[in-house]
């Protein structure tokens, strides 16, 4: 496989040159990259420039020696030296024909790699408190987490997707009090939502639902009523969250409840581990976590003077639980408001005795929703935010996922609903899906013309010489490389960009080359090229969680 085969060949050349006395022994791992200008070949390396200081020789002279000692590499057509010492490699057409064969036969699994080598990775994402609907910012975390998991799965990792419900603590108490007030109001009783409670109109709806289903709760003693309302409200919020995520095509393997940490006494256990390791101390009637030992600006309270835990205490126990489950790596996807929490969580992991580098935290930025460039407030149902479900209902899940994934998560996203809903080639998700629909329609058209695709081994792929055909094959060749890099960087937006470029190459091929022609052999070769392209695009759409329509 390229570029690994070329990198291995360059390394072998360096060793051979050293053995022959033409170069000193060079400690260097060759790096290969695709030249921006295709006239410079398919791959290039700057190994001669990078090793000039070690070798104490001019880069171009080193390049000439490397080329002279280069072993045979299958599919390598030519090697050229450019500029001050870049080595450019041009592959033969036989490589592109091999790419076509693999893509056409492997289907949507084309491009899978074993980069992860079975590494066990837990990805925890969304994890919204179960006290209301998911807003569009949470939606970004949902589709990002789902796509990151798809990338990891595609590259040989073993992933587990987890949602952590913060179903205990002060925020949930405020939610229960707010829901209770709306419930009593629905029954005509005098009640007010607490000033620090939840004021979104969704609670008016949920209070009315509860009043219709359980009117008898109003006559219970306050403590018992609050307990029953809390239980109903928790289930109602979780149900709303699950339904929305299901609508978005986001699945989880584990739904983890914070309350189970308390029920199993895992919070005090985790704190005892920290105390035994010298990272907890008592002061001012509270218990403190010595986070300054790990570079934090100040130590943090984990148990308050009243004996209640602060928010970080169950999070420490939860992360201990994660690592105790045997994951090699843990990835959390958090919103922008959690950025300052990262060093504290890293400190907790290290204080517990784990390598903090095994905890990876991706932070998403804000999503600005507009329509025709104007800010949008979808409804008052959720208070001051736009819900994830409202966006899906307006533009569809495919467009929602595409637009949320198209931008790097560390940048703010401007999501224009009018652009996303447009059914034209100006809309990038339509452009991408239409390429797949075209591929399917070409196969159907050939069948209507009485053309049956012959076995692949009988197709004369050497007939594919048009520049547009070769461009599609070169783009096909990029898939595994782009997916692997996107997985390494946790960057689905790279796959979005690649998919758009691939679709562009295919649309150009469609415009420049007639597929069903008067030449039966050329028709067969082009039909197989279409099938290889379809495999590639199906892989892209699958990773992004976007449907691959056969008709549009």
């Amino acid at each position: 496989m390229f570029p690994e085969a070329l990198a291995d060949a360059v390394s072998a050349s360096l060793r051979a040159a050293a053995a022959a006395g033409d170069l000193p022994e060079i400690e260097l791992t060759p790096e290969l990259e695709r030249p921006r200008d295709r006239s410079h070949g398919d791959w290039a390396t700057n190994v001669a420039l990078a090793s000039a200081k070690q070798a104490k020789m001019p880069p171009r002279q080193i390049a000439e020696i490397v080329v002279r000692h280069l072993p045979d590499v299958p599919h390598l057509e030519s090697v050229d030296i450019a500029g001050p010492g870049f080595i450019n490699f041009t592959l033969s057409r036989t490589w592109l024909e091999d790419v076509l064969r693999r893509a056409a036969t492997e289907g949507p699994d084309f491009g899978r790699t074993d980069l992860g080598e079975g590494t066990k990775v837990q990805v925890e994402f969304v994890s919204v408190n179960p006290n209301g609907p998911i807003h569009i910012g949470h939606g970004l975390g949902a589709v990002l987490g789902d796509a990151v998991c798809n990338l990891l799965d595609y590259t040989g990792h073993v992933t587990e997707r987890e949602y952590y419900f913060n179903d205990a603590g002060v925020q949930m108490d405020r939610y229960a009090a707010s829901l209770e007030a709306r419930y009593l109001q629905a029954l005509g009783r005098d009640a007010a939502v607490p000033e620090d409670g939840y004021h979104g109109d969704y609670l008016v709806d949920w209070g009315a639902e509860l009043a219709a289903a359980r009117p008898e709760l109003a006559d219970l003693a306050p403590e018992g009523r609050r307990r029953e309302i809390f239980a109903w409200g928790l289930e109602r919020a979780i149900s709303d969250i699950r339904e929305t995520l299901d609508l978005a095509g986001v699945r989880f393997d584990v739904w983890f409840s914070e309350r189970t940490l308390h029920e199993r006494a895992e919070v005090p256990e985790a704190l005892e581990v920290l105390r035994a390791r010298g990272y907890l101390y008592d002061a001012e009637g509270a218990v403190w976590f010595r986070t300054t030992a790990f570079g934090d600006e100040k130590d943090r309270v984990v148990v308050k003077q009243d004996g209640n835990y602060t928010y970080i205490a169950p999070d420490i126990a939860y992360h201990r639980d994660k690592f105790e489950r045997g994951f090699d790596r843990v990835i959390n996807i958090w919103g922008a408001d959690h950025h300052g929490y990262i060093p504290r969580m890293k400190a907790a992991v290290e204080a517990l005795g784990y390598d903090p580098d095994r905890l990876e935290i991706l932070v998403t930025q804000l999503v600005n929703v507009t329509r025709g460039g104007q800010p949008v407030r979808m409804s008052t149902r959720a208070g001051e935010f736009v819900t994830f479900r409202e966006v899906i209902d307006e533009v569809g899940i495919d467009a929602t996922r595409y637009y949320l994934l198209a931008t790097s998560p560390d940048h703010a996203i401007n999501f224009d609903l009018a652009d996303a809903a447009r059914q034209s080639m100006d809309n990038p998700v339509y452009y991408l899906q239409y390429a797949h629909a075209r591929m399917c329609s070409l196969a159907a058209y050939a069948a209507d013309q009485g053309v049956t695709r012959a076995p692949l081994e009988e197709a004369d792929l050497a007939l594919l010489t048009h520049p547009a055909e070769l461009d599609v094959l070169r783009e096909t060749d990029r898939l595994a490389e782009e997916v692997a890099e996107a997985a390494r960087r946790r960057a689905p937006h790279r796959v979005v960009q690649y998919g758009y470029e691939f679709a562009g190459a295919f649309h150009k091929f469609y415009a420049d080359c007639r597929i069903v022609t008067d030449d039966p052999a050329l028709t067969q070769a082009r039909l197989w090229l279409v099938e290889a392209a379809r495999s590639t695009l199906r892989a892209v759409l699958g990773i992004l969680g976007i449907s691959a329509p056969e008709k549009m």
Side-chain angles (χ1 to χ4, degrees):
M1 295 291 292
F2 298 99
E4 291 83 0
L6 290 174
D8 291 344
V10 172
S11 294
S13 175
L14 291 172
R15 292 193 298 270
D22 295 338
L23 285 175
E25 290 190 5
I26 294 173
E27 299 283 338
L28 189 70
T29 301
E31 294 185 0
L32 277 291
E33 62 180 17
R34 292 183 185 271
R36 292 183 181 179
D37 186 342
R38 285 227 173 116
S39 67
H40 294 166
D42 295 293
W43 292 96
T45 181
N46 68 344
V47 69
L49 288 83
S51 61
K53 188 173 182 180
Q54 283 188 60
K56 298 180 180 178
M57 296 170 62
R60 194 167 180 94
Q61 183 181 352
I62 298 172
E64 291 168 354
I65 294 171
V66 170
V67 171
R68 189 163 67 246
H69 287 278
L70 199 70
D72 290 337
V73 180
H75 304 294
L76 183 59
E77 183 175 278
S78 64
V79 184
D80 301 298
I81 300 171
F86 291 100
I87 303 174
N88 297 332
F89 303 93
T90 300
L91 305 182
S92 69
R93 284 181 34 79
T94 56
W95 168 247
L96 294 180
E97 292 170 15
D98 188 57
V99 168
L100 186 155
R101 291 187 184 92
R102 286 187 289 110
T105 55
E106 292 176 17
D109 288 330
F110 174 61
R112 284 189 181 272
T113 68
D114 61 353
L115 173 71
E117 299 179 325
T119 301
K120 291 180 64 178
V121 184
Q122 189 230 41
V123 185
E124 182 229 321
F125 56 109
V126 188
S127 297
V128 181
N129 292 349
N131 52 23
I134 296 177
H135 64 58
I136 188 62
H138 301 141
L140 168 58
V143 298
L144 175 64
D146 190 55
V148 166
C149 289
N150 291 342
L151 280 169
L152 293 172
D153 290 339
Y154 213 79
T155 51
H157 301 76
V158 178
T159 62
E160 187 168 289
R161 304 155 185 247
E162 184 154 309
Y163 190 117
Y164 176 62
F165 280 120
N166 294 94
D167 52 2
V170 174
Q171 294 302 322
M172 293 304 297
D173 291 339
R174 290 173 180 167
Y175 166 64
S178 303
L179 178 60
E180 180 181 35
R182 294 304 190 188
Y183 165 78
L184 293 173
Q185 289 171 4
L187 292 171
R189 307 284 183 98
D190 185 28
V193 176
E195 192 172 319
D196 62 352
Y198 290 83
H199 295 266
D201 282 359
Y202 70 94
L203 278 176
V204 175
D205 299 336
W206 291 2
E209 281 183 37
L210 178 56
R214 303 284 304 278
E216 74 281 359
L217 297 181
D219 297 322
L220 294 180
E223 184 177 338
R225 181 174 66 212
R226 178 69 61 82
R227 186 169 54 249
E228 291 291 327
I229 288 176
F230 179 93
W232 186 93
L234 177 63
E235 183 56 38
R236 182 64 180 84
I238 289 174
S239 175
D240 189 84
I241 290 168
R242 284 178 180 263
E243 287 175 9
T244 303
L245 292 173
D246 185 61
L247 186 66
V250 177
R251 68 173 182 82
F252 288 91
D253 301 304
V254 176
W255 300 82
F256 193 103
S257 164
E258 178 189 340
R259 295 169 74 190
T260 63
L261 293 173
H262 298 279
E263 291 165 1
R264 298 195 300 243
E266 291 189 38
V267 181
E269 283 180 14
L271 296 184
E272 279 306 307
V273 171
L274 293 185
R275 188 178 289 279
R277 294 175 64 86
Y279 294 114
L280 287 192
Y281 64 91
D282 301 311
E284 302 173 15
V287 180
W288 297 73
F289 175 25
R290 202 184 305 276
T291 54
T292 51
F294 305 95
D296 198 2
E297 60 185 359
K298 62 180 181 180
D299 293 339
R300 306 290 170 173
V301 174
V302 290
V303 183
K304 296 182 289 186
Q305 293 175 336
D306 61 6
N308 290 319
Y309 296 121
T310 61
Y311 60 87
I312 195 174
D315 282 352
I316 292 171
Y318 178 45
H319 282 77
R320 177 171 178 257
D321 183 277
K322 292 185 184 195
F323 285 109
E324 287 294 303
R325 282 185 263 161
F327 295 108
D328 300 307
R329 179 165 290 274
V330 167
I331 299 175
N332 295 345
I333 297 179
W334 292 348
D337 55 338
H338 287 74
H339 192 277
Y341 198 48
I342 295 174
R344 274 166 262 171
M345 209 66 257
K346 287 272 194 177
V349 169
E350 188 171 359
L352 287 166
Y354 304 106
D355 180 356
D357 289 340
R358 290 170 60 192
L359 172 63
E360 185 177 339
I361 299 172
L362 307 181
V363 177
T364 61
Q365 297 302 314
L366 299 177
V367 181
N368 301 310
V369 181
T370 60
R371 185 183 289 107
Q374 298 301 310
V376 167
R377 183 179 177 189
M378 301 290 289
S379 73
T380 59
R381 177 175 178 266
E384 296 301 321
F385 57 79
V386 177
T387 71
F388 189 31
R389 183 175 293 199
E390 286 171 318
V391 174
I392 293 172
D393 288 344
E394 177 157 338
V395 305
I397 185 53
D398 288 336
T400 299
R401 290 184 68 110
Y402 185 96
Y403 276 82
L404 289 176
L405 292 174
T407 302
S408 174
D410 57 6
H411 288 75
I413 294 176
N414 294 314
F415 193 137
D416 193 281
L417 299 171
D419 290 343
R422 218 169 34 237
Q423 297 291 305
S424 74
M425 296 290 268
D426 293 331
N427 183 342
V429 67
Y430 184 92
Y431 185 77
L432 195 64
Q433 291 180 307
Y434 193 59
H436 185 268
R438 267 186 167 166
M439 295 166 189
C440 297
S441 69
L442 287 168
Y445 175 76
D448 289 343
Q449 299 302 305
V451 178
T452 301
R453 199 170 58 205
L456 180 55
E457 58 270 18
E458 296 178 11
D460 185 0
L461 302 182
L463 296 174
L464 300 174
T465 58
H466 192 284
E469 295 168 330
L470 299 180
D471 280 348
V472 171
L473 290 176
R474 289 191 183 98
E475 290 298 316
T476 298
D477 184 33
R478 287 177 53 203
L479 175 65
E481 168 195 348
E482 292 294 336
V483 170
E485 190 62 23
R488 275 191 288 264
R489 298 190 184 192
R490 321 304 191 217
H493 68 279
R494 291 182 63 96
V495 179
V496 173
Q497 182 61 35
Y498 165 73
Y500 187 82
E501 292 168 1
F502 182 84
F506 183 81
H507 286 308
K508 189 173 189 309
F509 159 69
Y510 179 87
D512 293 355
C513 302
R514 186 171 183 80
I515 284 72
V516 179
T517 72
D518 294 333
D519 182 340
L522 180 59
T523 296
Q524 289 296 327
R526 286 181 172 169
L527 285 174
W528 277 111
L529 173 58
V530 171
E531 184 61 19
R534 193 166 80 97
S535 294
T536 306
L537 198 49
R538 284 168 67 199
V540 168
L541 293 169
I543 289 168
L544 300 178
I546 295 172
S547 66
E550 296 187 2
K551 294 181 180 179
M552 289 183 72

